Amino acid sequence: MMRYTNQDAEIYGLDITADRDLVTNAWGYWGVSGSLSYTNGKNKDTGSHLYNIMPLNGSIALNHENNGWINQVEAVAVSAKSKVSTPRHEIETSGYGLLNLSTGYKWNTVSVEAGIDNVLDKNYALPLGGAYMGQGKTMSINGELDGNSNWGTAVAGAGRSFYMGVNYKF
């Protein structure tokens, strides 16, 4: 039975972001940007890992701008989530990598952007997505839940996604 009580916990982490200009030439401005994030924590009373903590993750992007055009190629990586909260039956997830592409054009007050996230249509589970309980024993072929867990299946991340947006500044 879960109940709310104060407990001692320790949490620590590191967030790093960086941007670097690479070159400006006849083809425009080129730059790179990236981020890296790590967080960990433990319940000092029970020794269990803390709930809903994102595993090591990062991204790196190549950015290009030329005469109003803005383009980006981004790689995102997330390591496996193996440090889970056992009292809350948190589900472990595998690591994954994604490729995202975007392009756009800016005028004085209007900009248009379009992109594709998860270009390679990678199948992955969200480390902080929780559990999908709808895939119960009556919904499975052999009467077992994915991963032989009585606590559900990890929620899947978005597949290949296309988007487009228009912004107007006034």
Side-chain angles (χ1 to χ4, degrees):
M1 174 190 206
M2 300 290 280
R3 62 184 170 155
Y4 291 105
T5 59
N6 290 331
Q7 296 185 344
D8 288 332
E10 179 177 77
I11 189 167
Y12 55 90
L14 175 69
D15 283 314
I16 299 172
T17 59
D19 290 302
R20 177 81 177 152
D21 295 340
L22 295 177
V23 67
T24 300
N25 57 27
W27 295 291
Y29 157 82
W30 297 83
V32 66
S33 59
S35 67
L36 183 69
S37 181
Y38 175 74
T39 306
N40 195 5
K42 276 205 170 193
N43 181 319
K44 292 171 73 175
D45 291 337
T46 67
S48 174
H49 291 282
L50 296 181
Y51 178 69
N52 219 26
I53 300 290
M54 184 71 176
L56 176 67
N57 65 91
S59 68
I60 188 162
L62 177 64
N63 304 302
H64 172 251
E65 294 181 25
N66 190 20
N67 295 325
W69 283 103
I70 301 170
N71 307 291
Q72 185 179 70
V73 177
E74 178 188 44
V76 176
V78 178
S79 68
K81 183 170 178 65
S82 57
K83 296 177 180 177
V84 296
S85 172
T86 50
R88 292 178 179 257
H89 305 289
E90 193 171 21
I91 299 173
E92 292 186 5
T93 59
S94 299
Y96 60 89
L98 304 175
L99 177 66
N100 303 322
L101 302 174
S102 66
T103 188
Y105 192 84
K106 279 187 182 180
W107 291 275
N108 289 336
T109 58
V110 177
S111 65
V112 176
E113 182 181 5
I116 307 171
D117 286 343
N118 193 0
V119 171
L120 304 174
D121 203 20
K122 172 79 173 166
N123 184 15
Y124 62 101
L126 295 168
L128 304 183
Y132 171 63
M133 300 301 290
Q135 186 67 31
K137 292 186 179 206
T138 60
M139 298 293 291
S140 64
I141 295 171
N142 60 5
E144 294 292 326
L145 296 172
D146 261 2
N148 296 321
S149 168
N150 289 326
W151 307 105
T153 303
V155 173
R160 184 180 300 125
S161 302
F162 299 87
Y163 66 90
M164 184 174 172
V166 177
N167 292 303
Y168 175 70
K169 292 182 182 180
F170 56 93

